[in-house]
Amino acid sequence: MKIINKAKYFFLMGSTLLAMSGCKKESFVKANLNPNTIYEVKPEDQFLRAAVGSQDDFEYFADVYRAANLWMQYSTLSTGNGLNFNNVGSQFNTRYGKIFYGRLGPALADGIRNIESMPDADKNARVQMKAISQILLSYYAFYVSDINGSIPYTEAFQARYGGTKTPGYETQQQIFAKVDEELKAAVATLKGSATGQISLGGNDPYFNGDATLWAKAANALRLKIAIRLMKVDPAKMKTIATEVLADPVQMANVNDSWMLKVGPSYANANGNFNPANFAAGKPVLDFLVAKGDPRLAIYYRPNAAGNYVGSFTSPDEAKLPANKPLYASIDNLSQLQHRLFTPNYDNNDGLKAGTGKGFFPC
């Protein structure tokens, strides 16, 4: 009996010491955590990371200033359009690798995965957050496929969770069909009677976590997809459009606009966001002048003499000897309204750099 009692005594004493050691170790770990280090990334933080990373100055310079704006005749190069002005440059398509596969996709996929792995109570409190994250991911898949055609999507962003490192490509038709179904499901979730939801709030620079506004945005995107199918699959276009237009939750005014709102230094004038030396396209500018359009001063700046003078969009006209004096200096031409693209641009008009907000429409 004495031997047994002694054994119990030593066992209890050892257990107590182990417990005390465990407590001390736990306290030691807590005391040595760096308050400036992020040990766990929340899904709402991943959403903000994706939203902020959805725009890039290289994309704006190569895709907008030197491609889309020229194709739409909104602007030309400062010397007018050359013979190959509509050929894309080497930095075109930043949306593909740098943004979608490098920033936005991994962040949103991780946020969605994070929510799915939570205990039921936490997961159920984030069903709307998950749906909103899916809408942004679906939008960008559509946006990237829109000009690239086939892209990896279903199997993409899954390598860190045991998925493949070589995701298969899906056709644009498959991408659009999948994205449409994802958006349809997300709208149904956002319109549901979910209660006790944790809002994205300030981590959502688009709609501040407003579920109804996100449902409107998703419906608008479904209609955009339907328009893309107008000639290749008119029956599918009609099905999508009929479904969406039967839903009363639709964009109705400017307050419903889906855009990334940014501060004056986000699209910094010192970087590739700088829109200087891109001349106003003559067809668009002349039309606005002829109609007395009040938006003229929003889109373009007068030239140094205070007049609105556009640049010829045709390479042949831009190179005519009679038009050569027009291109002797960019000051002869109207330019893009700099602060429309870059809020903190300094126009050298004595008013210094702008302090207003900027926006990037989706």
Side-chain angles (χ1 to χ4, degrees):
M1 290 293 294
K2 289 182 179 180
I3 294 175
I4 295 175
N5 288 336
K6 284 183 178 181
K8 286 183 177 179
Y9 171 77
F10 284 118
F11 174 78
L12 291 173
M13 184 173 68
S15 299
T16 302
L17 290 173
L18 285 173
M20 290 174 64
S21 176
C23 291
K24 286 182 178 180
K25 184 176 180 180
E26 184 178 348
S27 299
F28 177 80
V29 171
K30 288 182 178 180
N32 285 275
L33 290 176
N34 187 338
N36 297 318
T37 299
I38 298 176
Y39 294 95
E40 180 183 2
V41 181
K42 298 178 180 178
E44 47 264 49
D45 294 331
Q46 289 288 50
F47 185 91
L48 178 60
R49 176 190 172 203
V52 172
S54 67
Q55 305 299 326
D56 188 271
D57 64 336
F58 277 98
E59 179 184 29
Y60 239 72
F61 184 77
D63 293 22
V64 179
Y65 296 150
R66 301 187 68 89
N69 284 355
L70 306 188
W71 299 336
M72 295 187 301
Q73 301 188 12
Y74 179 48
S75 64
T76 77
L77 302 176
S78 61
T79 55
N81 287 333
L83 293 177
N84 299 313
F85 78 94
N86 56 349
N87 289 351
V88 298
S90 60
Q91 293 178 333
F92 182 78
N93 201 19
T94 303
R95 73 180 75 183
Y96 184 89
K98 189 174 183 180
I99 299 180
F100 187 46
Y101 293 107
R103 297 178 187 164
L104 188 139
L108 291 174
D110 186 71
I112 291 171
R113 186 82 176 200
N114 190 341
I115 293 172
E116 291 174 343
S117 65
M118 290 179 175
D120 287 345
D122 296 327
K123 185 191 305 182
N124 294 337
R126 290 176 172 83
V127 293
Q128 291 186 348
M129 186 184 297
K130 180 183 174 183
I132 292 171
S133 297
Q134 183 61 64
I135 291 172
L136 184 56
L137 182 62
S138 298
Y139 160 69
Y140 223 86
F142 162 78
Y143 179 61
V144 173
S145 178
D146 198 30
I147 67 168
N148 287 283
S150 300
I151 62 170
Y153 182 49
T154 302
E155 295 180 344
F157 318 118
Q158 301 303 313
R160 69 175 65 180
Y161 315 113
T164 179
K165 294 181 181 179
T166 55
Y169 279 70
E170 293 159 276
T171 66
Q172 188 175 79
Q173 186 175 5
Q174 291 172 320
I175 296 292
F176 283 11
K178 180 174 178 58
V179 164
D180 180 62
E181 288 301 317
E182 290 170 344
L183 294 170
K184 182 178 178 180
V187 170
T189 297
L190 295 175
K191 291 173 60 181
S193 57
T195 58
Q197 292 296 294
I198 297 174
S199 174
L200 282 166
N203 284 44
D204 172 12
Y206 300 103
F207 296 121
N208 202 43
D210 189 305
T212 300
L213 291 177
W214 273 106
K216 291 181 178 182
N219 275 335
L221 181 52
R222 291 192 70 199
L223 287 177
K224 193 170 185 177
I225 293 171
I227 292 173
R228 293 293 194 273
L229 301 173
M230 183 180 295
K231 294 184 178 180
V232 296
D233 195 344
K236 183 64 174 177
M237 176 202 72
K238 183 177 181 181
T239 298
I240 296 174
T242 300
E243 283 182 0
V244 173
L245 295 177
D247 187 348
V249 180
Q250 303 288 344
M251 287 185 171
N253 54 59
V254 69
N255 295 324
D256 296 334
S257 299
W258 186 2
M259 67 180 89
L260 178 68
K261 307 177 187 77
V262 300
S265 62
Y266 180 87
N268 198 301
N270 295 320
N272 287 318
F273 280 115
N274 190 330
N277 298 319
F278 288 95
K282 186 174 176 60
V284 176
L285 184 140
D286 286 356
F287 179 84
L288 294 175
V289 171
K291 299 299 181 180
D293 197 302
R295 296 171 297 177
L296 177 63
I298 296 175
Y299 296 142
Y300 297 116
R301 299 177 63 228
N303 65 8
N307 302 314
Y308 285 100
V309 179
S311 171
F312 292 95
T313 55
S314 164
D316 294 332
E317 289 186 282
K319 302 309 176 186
L320 287 175
N323 296 327
K324 188 175 181 180
L326 183 66
Y327 296 101
S329 171
I330 187 63
D331 291 337
N332 295 333
L333 296 163
S334 294
Q335 296 185 48
L336 296 178
Q337 183 55 268
H338 301 148
R339 288 185 183 172
L340 178 65
F341 295 90
T342 309
N344 71 346
Y345 193 91
D346 188 345
N347 286 322
N348 294 317
D349 53 8
L351 298 177
K352 305 298 181 183
T355 58
K357 294 181 179 180
F359 62 94
F360 293 86
C362 291

